[in-house]
Amino acid sequence: MKLYVSLTSPFARKVRVALEEKHLADRIETVLVDPWNDDGTLAAVNPLLQVPTLARDDGLAITNSDTIMNWLDRAYPEPGLWPQDPDARFRAEAVAALAQTVIEYAVFLVIESRRPESQRSAHMIERRRQGIVDTAAALNDGFHASQEQFDLDSIGVACALAYVDFRHPQLDWRSRAPKLDAWMKWALQRPSMKATAPPA
Ligand SMILES: N[C@@H](CCC(=O)N[C@@H](CS)C(=O)NCC(=O)O)C(=O)O
């Protein structure tokens, strides 16, 4: 089984953290690719040209970070990365969806900043920046961050906020999310987060 990643992709980082948490990192070959400058390696498994992509040994390529993590959690159930209780699980999935969209917003801001200034949308940039800060404030109350477990919702939130800090350090999500800020300090110390930090 091969996992196609780039070391700066926050979507790929979610999957890499999940693999570390499930003690599977050594059992899956990691293939480093650049989705923006592919030499054909990624195109051979994913016509969307996106990372992460997981290519199973039977030839099936799984795309999309959440789909990959859900498959991994089903294929390798121990330790499970979703709560057992159905309502708790749905709440965790709702948080994971918010975290995924925070990543999408932050990636949008990076892509937008690489376009010529005349082609950028100031309105959309402001809308996405505000969305990130407001979502962090909402998660400050709505996400019951545990320091005992690091489930898929926690992995999503940690990778999302770490990516915001990595690419948009000037974006102040902390002042309205002090509990989340304190939790992030703990989350970043987890071996799985340390092992997957983007290169400086
Ligand atoms: N929904 C996908 C998004 C994956 C994605 O956009 N990955 C970026 C890297 S951060 C990429 O490969 N971008 C290249 C492109 O979109 O052409 C997921 O959750 O895995």
Side-chain angles (χ1 to χ4, degrees):
M1 207 149 40
K2 292 182 181 173
L3 180 68
Y4 295 75
V5 302
S6 80
L7 296 180
T8 51
S9 165
F11 302 106
R13 189 177 189 186
K14 289 192 329 188
V15 175
R16 292 165 60 221
V17 172
L19 286 172
E20 294 283 342
E21 294 290 336
K22 292 177 90 59
H23 314 295
L24 289 172
D26 293 344
R27 290 173 55 184
I28 291 179
E29 185 186 339
T30 300
V31 183
L32 293 183
V33 290
D34 178 354
W36 299 104
N37 191 15
D38 181 43
D39 61 5
T41 309
L42 183 58
V45 288
N46 182 355
L48 292 170
L49 281 181
Q50 287 193 330
V51 292
T53 300
L54 183 76
R56 286 196 329 199
D57 291 338
D58 64 1
L60 180 70
I62 309 175
T63 62
N64 196 51
S65 51
D66 291 320
T67 312
I68 295 170
M69 293 192 299
N70 280 326
W71 179 75
L72 284 169
D73 206 42
R74 231 172 301 145
Y76 303 92
E78 292 301 330
L81 292 183
W82 285 122
Q84 292 292 314
D85 173 71
D87 189 56
R89 172 165 178 155
F90 185 71
R91 285 172 185 279
E93 285 187 41
V95 167
L98 281 176
Q100 169 78 349
T101 307
V102 166
I103 296 178
E104 288 167 0
Y105 282 17
V107 168
F108 166 85
L109 291 175
V110 171
I111 293 173
E112 194 72 357
S113 72
R114 291 176 180 160
R115 282 152 53 93
E117 202 153 353
S118 61
Q119 291 176 21
R120 294 180 204 159
S121 165
H123 170 71
M124 284 309 294
I125 290 171
E126 187 45 36
R127 191 176 160 88
R128 293 305 183 235
R129 289 169 63 91
Q130 196 63 49
I132 291 171
V133 172
D134 288 347
T135 303
L139 286 170
N140 191 60
D141 299 319
F143 165 52
H144 300 293
S146 157
Q147 293 203 3
E148 274 123 50
Q149 270 168 286
F150 206 54
D151 283 346
L152 291 176
D153 55 343
S154 301
I155 291 173
V157 172
C159 290
L161 294 175
Y163 184 72
V164 170
D165 285 342
F166 174 57
R167 290 295 194 207
H168 313 291
Q170 75 292 354
L171 205 54
D172 175 25
W173 58 266
R174 287 183 168 78
S175 52
R176 286 170 56 215
K179 281 190 278 178
L180 206 52
D181 181 24
W183 177 80
M184 269 304 279
K185 290 191 174 78
W186 169 82
L188 289 173
Q189 294 308 313
R190 276 191 86 82
S192 61
M193 290 297 292
K194 284 186 162 179
T196 58

